[in-house]
Amino acid sequence: MQKGDQLYAGKAKSIYLTDDPTKLILHFRDDTSAFDGEKVEQLDRKGMVNNRFNAFVMEMLEKDGLSTHFEKILSEDESLVKRLEMIPVECVVRNFAAGSICKRLGLKEGLELNTPIFEFFLKDDARHDPMINEFHIRAFGWAEEREVERMKELTFRVNDVLTRLFRGAGMLLVDFKLEFGRYEGELLLGDEFTPDGCRIWDATTREKLDKDRFRRNLGGVIEAYEEVAHRLGVPSEYS
Ligand code: TMP
Ligand code: ASP
């Protein structure tokens, strides 16, 4: 697989073309961003840790019958993925109240929700990823009706699989964000699943083990990511 030109540089990943027009290389950088790019720092080992973490979760989801863009790990901080036509919305599921929903609705962090809540956000950093609903998606043609239904269905299935996975390793999956894209007429899970895009708490102490450590200057960010990876059994070396 020949690495080509850089296609795009996001806040924490860069994307490269390859000699196969249907495949891209994701490079997980050490850059860590919060508040839509307002706070950015380099954290040692982050690219490597997230690359392995993402590979582990994507492979687990594939085993459970969920189709993702993930193909294989290429190096310590790079993975090969299918090239998707991305849908510009973010799919969030919450099992406990934390983050923006607490501000929006005046909730106490940690409240266990009676049923998971699904929310759509528009992928638009300049506007701080505003919350939208299905009417916006329909009115602006960001996705087709059946794609909206499929994104909800797949996100809830991911929630079921991963809630069980984290529970089994003594952790709570508080909330997470997914992105989807089109590939040969199918909707596949794209982007990444790492502690950068979800909230994970220790089930007993409720210690934060995700990017909130960075957002709130709690320290030990990568140590927490490594702790989560270790508990889940993510291999410490790529193979
Ligand atoms: P929020 O509480 O800020 O709305 O975020 C909910 C979850 O989704 C949290 O785990 C962080 C993740 N998320 C992202 O990773 N990127 C985003 O742009 C958004 C809106 C949420
Ligand atoms: N993912 C967004 C960013 O990197 C928002 C956040 O995590 O606070 O800026």
Side-chain angles (χ1 to χ4, degrees), residues 90 92 94 98-100 121 129 175 177 196-199 215:
E90 303 186 332
V92 168
R94 305 175 187 275
S100 70
F121 292 88
D129 293 345
D175 57 30
K177 181 265 299 179
D196 272 3
C198 66
R199 290 192 173 90
R215 293 190 189 97

Side-chain angles (χ1 to χ4, degrees), residues 89-123:
V89 304
E90 303 186 332
C91 301
V92 168
V93 160
R94 305 175 187 275
N95 298 304
F96 293 83
S100 70
I101 197 171
C102 291
K103 267 197 210 141
R104 206 180 322 124
L105 302 180
L107 305 176
K108 191 166 170 327
E109 183 181 82
L111 174 73
E112 186 166 3
L113 303 169
N114 289 330
T115 60
I117 291 176
F118 183 100
E119 293 170 350
F120 281 117
F121 292 88
L122 179 64
K123 207 173 154 58

Side-chain angles (χ1 to χ4, degrees), residues 115-209:
T115 60
I117 291 176
F118 183 100
E119 293 170 350
F120 281 117
F121 292 88
L122 179 64
K123 207 173 154 58
D124 187 342
D125 275 344
R127 290 178 180 75
H128 300 289
D129 293 345
M131 193 163 98
I132 52 169
N133 64 35
E134 293 168 34
F135 287 87
H136 299 89
I137 298 180
R138 215 174 286 139
F140 298 109
W142 290 320
E144 288 174 28
E145 201 67 46
R146 60 183 177 85
E147 292 174 327
V148 170
E149 291 309 314
R150 189 90 179 120
M151 285 193 282
K152 289 191 287 187
E153 178 195 330
L154 291 171
T155 306
F156 278 121
R157 275 176 60 193
V158 169
N159 189 42
D160 287 342
V161 174
L162 296 186
T163 293
R164 244 182 291 126
L165 176 75
F166 283 100
R167 266 282 185 193
M171 294 173 281
L172 303 176
L173 180 59
V174 173
D175 57 30
F176 61 91
K177 181 265 299 179
L178 301 180
E179 294 178 32
F180 293 90
R182 304 177 183 107
Y183 186 81
E184 294 178 353
E186 222 198 318
L187 208 62
L188 304 188
L189 176 61
D191 193 45
E192 64 177 72
F193 190 100
T194 68
D196 272 3
C198 66
R199 290 192 173 90
I200 303 159
W201 296 344
D202 180 274
T204 311
T205 64
R206 294 210 168 186
E207 185 189 359
K208 296 182 196 310
L209 301 170

Side-chain angles (χ1 to χ4, degrees), residues 3-10 13-18 20-27 29 69 81-86:
K3 187 169 170 179
D5 290 341
Q6 181 173 293
L7 179 65
Y8 175 79
K13 295 191 294 301
S14 300
I15 299 173
Y16 293 87
L17 296 166
T18 69
D20 178 344
T22 69
K23 305 279 190 319
L24 296 173
I25 292 173
L26 295 188
H27 172 216
R29 306 195 313 269
H69 69 158
V81 298
K82 293 188 179 76
R83 182 174 189 168
L84 308 186
E85 184 196 337
M86 295 306 290

